[in-house]
């Protein structure tokens, strides 16, 4: 499992509220820098980071009930869907995909999630 990256701002990566876990947005960083490979590399790493953050509380992607994906280019939507579906398998949490003007560190994609562990 990937080491959970340090936050790039003044926030907590994950918070537990009863049986729910709320994650902060995860971008494709490893060892303090964005990974190579454009959207594919960054989203693959962001999902690994999300797995790690959830794992720190004993949860997994299977526990995710809602995800939000932020894209700087909606032309990446189809490619994002392919990578997202591969990561989540047959599990299909509710999801929003939102176009944004920019993301931290110049990332192309960011993902946050709400998981239920009850």
């Amino acid at each position: 499992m990937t080491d959970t990256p340090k936050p790039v701002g003044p926030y907590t990566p994950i918070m537990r509220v009863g049986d729910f876990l709320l994650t902060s947005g995860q971008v494709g960083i490893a060892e303090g820098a964005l990974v190579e490979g454009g959207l594919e590399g960054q989203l693959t790493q962001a999902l690994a980071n999300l797995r790690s953050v959830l794992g720190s509380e004993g949860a997994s992607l299977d526990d995710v009930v809602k995800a939000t994906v932020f894209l700087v280019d909606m032309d990446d939507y189809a490619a994002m869907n392919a990578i997202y579906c591969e990561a989540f398998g047959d599990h299909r949490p509710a999801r929003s995909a939102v176009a944004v003007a920019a993301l931290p560190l110049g990332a192309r994609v960011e993902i946050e999630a709400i998981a239920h562990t009850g």
Side-chain angles (χ1 to χ4, degrees), residues 47-72:
L47 287 161
N49 295 344
L50 181 60
R51 281 187 198 94
S52 181
V53 167
L54 290 167
S56 73
E57 289 288 330
S60 72
L61 292 182
D62 289 338
D63 298 308
V64 172
V65 294
K66 173 69 166 82
T68 305
V69 179
F70 304 92
L71 294 165
V72 296

Side-chain angles (χ1 to χ4, degrees), residues 31-114:
E31 299 177 10
L34 281 175
V35 298
E36 300 286 325
L39 175 84
E40 182 176 347
Q42 288 183 29
L43 182 52
T44 299
Q45 184 63 50
L47 287 161
N49 295 344
L50 181 60
R51 281 187 198 94
S52 181
V53 167
L54 290 167
S56 73
E57 289 288 330
S60 72
L61 292 182
D62 289 338
D63 298 308
V64 172
V65 294
K66 173 69 166 82
T68 305
V69 179
F70 304 92
L71 294 165
V72 296
D73 186 348
M74 274 303 198
D75 287 342
D76 288 337
Y77 187 79
M80 176 276 295
N81 269 334
I83 297 162
Y84 178 95
C85 288
E86 184 176 320
F88 278 91
D90 292 333
H91 180 55
R92 293 289 184 264
R95 187 189 82 189
S96 301
V98 181
V100 296
L103 290 168
L105 306 174
R108 296 180 57 97
V109 62
E110 181 174 2
I111 185 168
E112 66 180 24
I114 299 171

